[in-house]
Structures are given as structure tokens and as C-alpha cells.
Amino acid sequence: MRSSRAVHVFALAAVPLLLLASAARADDDGGCGADGAASQGGDRARAKALKIAAFFSILVCGALGCCLPVLGRRVPALRADGDVFFLVKAFAAGVILATGFIHILPDAFDKLTSECLSGGPWKSFPFAGFGAMVGAIGTLVVDTVATGYFTRVHFKNSAGAGAEAVSGAAVGDEEKQQAAVASAAPHVDHDHDHDGHVHMHTHATHGHAHGSSALVAAVGSAEGDKEHALRHRVIAQVLELGIVVHSVIIGISLGASEDPSTIKPLVVALSFHQMFEGMGLGGCIVQAKFKLRSIVTMVLFFCLTTPVGILVGIGISSVYNEDSPKALIVEGILNSVAVGILIYMALVDLLAEDFMNPKVQSRGKLQLGINVSMLVGAGLMSMLAKWA
């Protein structure tokens, strides 16, 4: 059931790939800057070699970043409740935050205010900021509604199971009481029968209360963990959706480029980009406590999205025109929505949750450490904007 929900999220995340691929063709009249690639006279053979290198580099770095927190569950220092995990997650959250503000948002504004969009309302209204707002609000709605729904379903199932357990315990206590009374009856006279009854009744009541307390304690301790895991499952899936939307765009843009001087710095920058984002996603996957099948599905989907986007870009490079109105609008809107998703997830579901964690609040050194880690992650990712 949980795997099917993950598949539905992944199918929804694949929609931007289809939209961008269909809009990536030049308009019939050549569009704005239709022969820009031809005028550059790029070395196609060298560009193709760089694209192949980018495919494997981004694939490996994405897998490494995403798998480190997952495999770290077997390393005590990297467990989800350890200090190192808080530091790594804060670093990754800073990376995701810088990705939204520094990398994607300016690009969305550039796309939706391009000179090639001469007609329509694109220059009279800040659609990039509007798209980011819609993305953030939409993420909030999905986040709260999905969490509430899964929590209600979970507690409904738990309540049914708890009622059956309590009923079974009560029946067992009653049977024990009757058996004890029956066995005690032949050995006591009438004068002591009342005392024996009171004793057995008290013992049975004590046994019933002890069983209920044990049940409540067991279920109560598990309820908190399950509710926490449900919350992080929603976070992990929504975060992956936001990352995938952006990954599709950068993959197609890189694959369609024919200029080696543009591709070369992108290979290194995007490799680090995917690795850092993968660390943030991997941390959420660990806290969500997915089953192995769901973990493998989510990791593979994240790792393959950008490389598949590169292949799609290579396939449509002969007809691709990144300055055509359709491509500009689709890329700009998808980028702006991705900004809203990533900024919301970084601030609300990653940073705020960990920064307000009682373990962090009660330890000044750890609090200072995650602040520094977040700033380092945001700073390094901001520096990559010089090349990508």
C-alpha cells in the first residue's frame, strides 16, 4: 500500500518531463534565437563526450549522496538520532535552500521576463514570484492534508487493534477469575468464602489493570514512532517531487546544449548539486523508516531523473530551442513552482523541525554546530552559482 502511494507520487513527478519534452521543440517560425546553437558552431563530438561524462558523474554522485544516510543506519555515529546526522541534515537543508533562492528562482525570473516573450502578460506581472508562492502554498496543503489523512487512518486501525486486544485481555481475566473461584470453592468453608472472593476479585482486577497498562505503554510508545514515521514519509515524497521537477529541467538543458564551454563547468557543478540534494533526501528517507522496496524505488528515481533528462535532451537537441516562447514559459513555470516546494521543505520540514528539536534546544554546542553546518551548505551551494 505504501509502495503504491510512492509510485503515484513518482508518476506525478514524471509529468514535468513529458511537459518539457513536448514544449522543447522550436516553434514553426524558428522562434526567438532559433539558430543560436548553429551560430556558435560548437564542437558536437566534444559536447557529446561531455554529456556522457555528465550522465555517469551525476548518476554516481546522486546515488552516493542519497545512499550515505541510508547506509549510515548501520554506523552508530550516523544514526538518525545522532549528532552527526543533525549536522549532515542541516548542511543538506542549507544546500536545498540555496538551490531554491540562488539557482532556480533567478532562472525562473529570467525565463518568464525574456525578450522572446513579446506577447501576453509575462512582463506586466511577476509570474515567477507568483509561481513560487503557489508552489509553497500547494506544498503546505499537500503536507498537512496528507499527514492528517495518513494519521487518521493509522489511528483508526490502531484503535481497532487496541480494542480487540483489550477485549481479549478482559475475557482472559474473567476466565482466570472463574477458574480460580471454582478451584478455591471446595477448600474453603462458607465463613471464608467471602474473604476468598474479595481476594480473588482484587487479584483479577490487579491483573486486568496490569494488562491494560502494559498494552497502553506498548501501543503508546509505538504510536509516537509510527506517527513520526508517517510525517517523514510525506516529507520525503514531497521533497523528492520538488527536487525531481528541477532535475528534469537541468537534465534536459544540459543534454540539449551543444556548447562544450557551457557543458564542462556544469558537469562538476551539477554532480556536487545532486550529491548534496541527495544527502538531504536520504536523511528524510531514513527518518521515514520506509521498507526496503520503497527505499530502493525512491533512491533509484532520484538518481535516474537528471541522467534521463540528459538523454531526453540529447534526443531532442536537433530541434531544441531554449529561447522559444513555449520552452521559456514551461521552464519558467516549472522552475518557479519547484522554488516554492524546495524553500518550504527546507525551512519548514527540515530546518525548523531539527532546530526546534528538544535535543538540539537543550545543547548549546549542537545548536551552534547545526547553524554553522547550515550556513556552510548554503554558502557552498551559492558559490556553485558562478558555474551553474
Side-chain angles (χ1 to χ4, degrees):
M1 187 68 171
R2 292 168 183 166
S3 298
S4 64
R5 289 200 298 265
V7 170
H8 292 158
V9 173
F10 298 153
L12 180 63
V15 172
L17 181 62
L18 300 177
L19 288 175
L20 194 56
S22 63
R25 295 179 176 273
D27 294 339
D28 294 336
D29 58 354
C32 181
D35 40 2
S39 63
Q40 292 175 1
D43 186 351
R44 291 180 177 272
R46 180 170 170 75
K48 186 175 181 180
L50 288 172
K51 292 174 188 177
I52 295 174
F55 177 92
F56 289 103
S57 176
I58 292 174
L59 179 63
V60 171
C61 289
L64 179 64
C66 202
C67 290
L68 275 178
V70 176
L71 298 177
R73 291 185 302 176
R74 301 184 179 276
V75 180
L78 294 178
R79 288 179 180 173
D81 57 349
D83 294 351
V84 176
F85 187 83
F86 278 103
L87 297 175
V88 171
K89 193 176 174 185
F91 176 86
V95 168
I96 294 173
L97 194 61
T99 299
F101 278 117
I102 306 299
H103 291 259
I104 313 179
L105 187 58
D107 188 58
F109 274 104
D110 289 341
K111 297 291 185 183
L112 295 178
T113 58
S114 173
E115 295 296 331
C116 298
L117 295 178
S118 56
W122 303 105
K123 293 185 180 180
S124 60
F125 185 81
F127 280 97
F130 179 76
M133 181 186 70
V134 170
I137 294 176
T139 306
L140 171 65
V141 172
V142 172
D143 195 7
T144 54
V145 171
T147 302
Y149 171 75
F150 292 140
T151 302
R152 288 192 300 271
V153 171
H154 168 68
F155 279 118
K156 182 179 179 180
N157 295 337
S158 299
E164 292 179 1
V166 171
S167 176
V171 171
D173 288 339
E174 185 178 355
E175 292 176 351
K176 289 180 181 179
Q177 179 182 356
Q178 292 176 353
V181 171
S183 61
H187 302 286
V188 295
D189 56 16
H190 181 73
D191 294 333
H192 295 85
D193 184 46
H194 178 70
D195 294 338
H197 172 70
V198 172
H199 172 72
M200 294 309 300
H201 176 73
T202 304
H203 177 74
T205 305
H206 172 70
H208 175 68
H210 177 73
S212 300
S213 301
L215 178 64
V216 170
V219 174
S221 61
E223 289 296 333
D225 293 338
K226 290 180 179 179
E227 186 177 3
H228 187 70
L230 285 172
R231 169 71 179 151
H232 281 283
R233 282 172 188 156
V234 176
I235 292 174
Q237 292 178 350
V238 176
L239 177 61
E240 179 151 10
L241 176 62
I243 293 174
V244 162
V245 170
H246 176 55
S247 297
V248 167
I249 296 172
I250 61 177
I252 291 180
S253 298
L254 190 151
S257 177
E258 297 293 348
D259 186 4
S261 62
T262 302
I263 299 174
K264 192 173 181 179
L266 283 176
V267 175
V268 178
L270 293 181
S271 296
F272 281 104
H273 180 278
Q274 288 297 101
M275 183 173 68
F276 293 153
E277 282 191 340
M279 291 171 63
L281 179 62
C284 291
I285 291 175
V286 169
Q287 291 182 305
K289 298 180 181 179
F290 282 110
K291 292 183 179 179
L292 180 60
R293 181 179 177 182
S294 296
I295 292 175
V296 172
T297 302
M298 294 188 72
V299 171
L300 285 177
F301 195 83
F302 168 78
C303 296
L304 293 175
T305 301
T306 302
V308 169
I310 293 174
L311 294 180
V312 173
I314 294 174
I316 65 175
S317 59
S318 59
V319 295
Y320 179 79
N321 177 20
E322 63 180 6
D323 292 326
S324 68
K326 288 182 180 179
L328 288 171
I329 293 172
V330 172
E331 288 187 31
I333 291 176
L334 291 179
N335 270 334
S336 63
V337 173
V339 168
I341 296 174
L342 294 181
I343 291 176
Y344 173 90
M345 299 302 297
L347 289 175
V348 178
D349 288 334
L350 298 180
L351 291 175
E353 180 169 341
D354 285 349
F355 276 52
M356 301 306 294
N357 190 299
K359 181 178 181 180
V360 174
Q361 291 287 315
S362 62
R363 298 174 58 189
K365 290 184 178 180
L366 180 58
Q367 194 171 26
L368 176 62
I370 64 173
N371 276 277
V372 173
S373 182
M374 175 198 65
L375 293 174
V376 171
L380 290 177
M381 197 64 200
S382 299
M383 288 177 59
L384 289 179
K386 183 178 179 181
W387 300 280

